Amino acid sequence: MMERVIVIGSPGSGKSSFARKLHTETGIPLYYLDMLWHKPDRTTVPQEEFDARLQVILDQDRWIMDGNYQRTLEKRLRVCDTVFLMDIPTETCIAGVEARIGRKREDMPWVETEFDEEFRQYIMEFSQARLPQIYALLETYQDRKNIVIFKSREEADRYNILKSGNPVNCG
């Protein structure tokens, strides 16, 4: 049974869209880590403040957390029961970020007006620099967590949350 869920993956992979779908279908409260970290003026909160805000959520009985934030991933993995990893092709992630430029989103405290080159580079390197670490962490928790891996947005779109009971690995 899903009670504490994390949705992780590269920026632009569809994490927030899937997390919203999950929230709508389950009624589990949804938290966007970008909203904990970023301020509307495009600055960030101090790391200690972010960690304190995160802990308040982790202490709750039910939640969905949208966001990679690798520094806190193991902490979240220890207490979650379900993980959805969006292991989506880089080109799709780049297109996802490009498509949201200029759009107001509930998961970000400002409207992105441009695709920052540093951010683009982070996405370009994500599958080689970040995914191996994520998979290694997931492997250590594979016997204790429900882990679902999506290799395409279409897989995530087809995933039937309510009929699935306990998630199964799609990857």
Side-chain angles (χ1 to χ4, degrees):
M1 181 124 187
M2 284 188 277
E3 297 288 330
R4 294 176 163 188
V5 181
I6 60 174
V7 182
I8 57 177
S10 174
S13 63
K15 294 183 306 293
S16 299
S17 296
F18 183 79
R20 277 190 294 277
K21 173 184 172 183
L22 193 61
H23 164 70
T24 299
E25 293 189 21
T26 65
I28 299 172
L30 172 57
Y31 300 93
Y32 300 107
L33 295 184
D34 281 342
M35 294 298 282
L36 298 181
W37 179 244
H38 296 288
K39 295 180 183 180
D41 67 359
R42 297 179 187 246
T43 61
T44 58
V45 300
Q47 185 172 307
E48 301 77 28
E49 184 177 334
F50 175 84
D51 291 349
R53 290 176 176 184
L54 177 62
Q55 191 60 52
V56 167
I57 299 166
L58 291 173
D59 289 342
Q60 296 176 24
D61 292 334
R62 302 176 78 217
W63 40 258
I64 298 166
M65 273 190 221
D66 161 39
N68 213 54
Y69 289 80
Q70 209 131 341
R71 181 182 66 79
T72 65
L73 182 55
E74 186 156 20
K75 182 178 192 171
R76 290 177 284 135
L77 275 169
R78 281 194 299 267
V79 297
C80 77
D81 55 55
T82 305
V83 178
F84 290 96
L85 170 60
M86 311 294 283
D87 184 357
I88 308 300
T90 300
E91 304 75 32
T92 303
C93 296
I94 294 288
V97 171
E98 288 173 342
R100 70 188 191 200
I101 301 294
R103 295 178 138 168
K104 182 166 176 37
R105 301 168 24 221
E106 68 182 67
D107 58 312
M108 194 64 146
W110 67 74
V111 174
E112 294 169 302
T113 56
E114 63 183 349
F115 197 164
D116 176 84
E117 275 309 308
E118 187 177 324
F119 189 43
R120 181 186 299 271
Q121 192 61 37
Y122 176 84
I123 297 168
M124 296 292 292
E125 295 170 357
F126 190 89
S127 64
Q128 290 193 331
R130 303 280 189 283
L131 273 178
Q133 298 166 355
I134 292 171
Y135 274 105
L137 268 175
L138 292 180
E139 189 174 323
T140 65
Y141 288 93
Q142 68 185 350
D143 297 333
R144 297 170 278 165
K145 309 294 177 184
N146 297 314
I147 300 173
V148 180
I149 300 171
F150 297 122
K151 296 288 190 175
S152 71
R153 285 187 172 175
E154 293 75 24
E155 280 184 1
D157 290 344
R158 286 192 311 264
Y159 185 80
N160 189 319
I161 295 156
L162 297 179
K163 287 187 178 178
S164 69
N166 281 325
V168 294
N169 192 326
C170 297

